[in-house]
Amino acid sequence: MAGAKAHHLTVQRHRHGKYLGVIRAALGHWLIVQHLIGLALHPPPYTGKAVADNDPTGEPMLTYHKTTEEEKYRITAWQYDGAYAIYNSDAYEAQKARGVGFANPKNNFYSFYDGAALVGFINLYEEETEVFFGIGADPACCGRGYGQQMTRMAWDIAQSLFPGKPLYLEVRTWNTRAVRCYEKAGFRIVGEPIRQTTPAGDGVFYHMIREK
């Protein structure tokens, strides 16, 4: 009897262990399904990565997202020195009062990060046949390659938002650092320099475009 009883207990343990294994597996699959359903119903905020994994420069990958209200205050507080001070902008509150710049709903601003550091932003403004491109970098981050990365990425973002439309920008002719940056990112100068008046004052500009 003792042997039969021991055998019976062994069989019972085996069955319980088998059933527990099945239950654990089923529970694991259920949790995975619930997680996927949760992502579908409540997806995380979209974050893009600068240039694909085949980035030929070997530079750090940047992440980006739509510019937040808090970031607009931070960006408009940036102050440039010397000749570049012409790029200092009005405070965000002043822009909101006039509905311009960061407060213009027709602009599409994206903020770029290197890790936890906000290094710059871009703006894309759709026109009838093309898209205007604007860019700015944290003064402390200028000259470190971020501008070229953001400019290359602006093309990809623009094509996802406005397929088939070329990008164009206007840059002051004396800003050779910016001109080289744009050329390396696929832009080219079109036509002769043009003189025009902007909110930042008069100047002579190159018209640059990227079509592919």
Side-chain angles (χ1 to χ4, degrees):
M1 287 294 293
K5 186 175 182 179
H7 175 72
H8 175 72
L9 290 174
T10 301
V11 172
Q12 288 284 71
R13 292 192 187 99
H14 175 72
R15 288 176 179 172
H16 284 309
K18 181 178 179 180
Y19 293 151
L20 285 173
V22 172
I23 291 171
R24 290 193 185 100
L27 180 61
H29 288 300
W30 181 82
L31 289 173
I32 292 172
V33 171
Q34 292 302 306
H35 176 66
L36 293 175
I37 292 174
L39 287 177
L41 294 176
H42 306 287
Y46 177 69
T47 299
K49 286 194 174 181
V51 199
D53 291 334
N54 61 352
D55 180 2
T57 66
E59 296 166 334
M61 297 287 283
L62 300 182
T63 57
Y64 71 94
H65 56 242
K66 292 282 288 184
T67 300
T68 67
E69 287 295 293
E70 184 271 338
E71 289 166 346
K72 292 176 182 179
Y73 283 101
R74 292 171 59 188
I75 291 170
T76 53
W78 289 346
Q79 294 293 302
Y80 300 91
D81 296 325
Y84 294 96
I86 198 169
Y87 296 112
N88 293 337
S89 68
D90 292 337
Y92 183 40
E93 287 295 336
Q95 294 185 27
K96 287 198 294 183
R98 304 198 310 277
V100 299
F102 282 98
N104 183 346
K106 293 184 179 180
N107 287 326
N108 295 277
F109 286 98
Y110 291 86
S111 299
F112 286 77
Y113 280 77
D114 183 354
L118 173 62
V119 299
F121 71 92
I122 65 166
N123 176 37
L124 300 170
Y125 181 93
E126 184 184 23
E127 298 180 1
E128 185 175 354
T129 60
E130 53 193 354
V131 177
F132 170 78
F133 165 57
I135 185 173
D138 182 331
C141 296
C142 291
R144 296 170 57 183
Y146 292 124
Q148 187 178 336
Q149 291 186 71
M150 292 189 292
T151 302
R152 290 200 308 268
M153 193 166 188
W155 170 257
D156 296 328
I157 299 173
Q159 289 305 296
S160 69
L161 295 175
F162 318 111
K165 286 191 174 183
L167 276 183
Y168 84 91
L169 60 86
E170 290 169 345
V171 56
R172 295 175 186 272
T173 54
W174 60 260
N175 193 350
T176 55
R177 181 175 70 184
V179 173
R180 287 196 301 269
C181 166
Y182 303 142
E183 288 177 332
K184 290 179 180 178
F187 281 81
R188 60 186 177 86
I189 296 173
V190 176
E192 297 297 320
I194 53 177
R195 177 174 292 278
Q196 58 183 345
T197 300
T198 74
D202 293 340
V204 179
F205 295 78
Y206 288 128
H207 182 84
M208 303 184 72
I209 66 170
R210 178 174 174 178
E211 299 170 296
K212 59 181 181 178

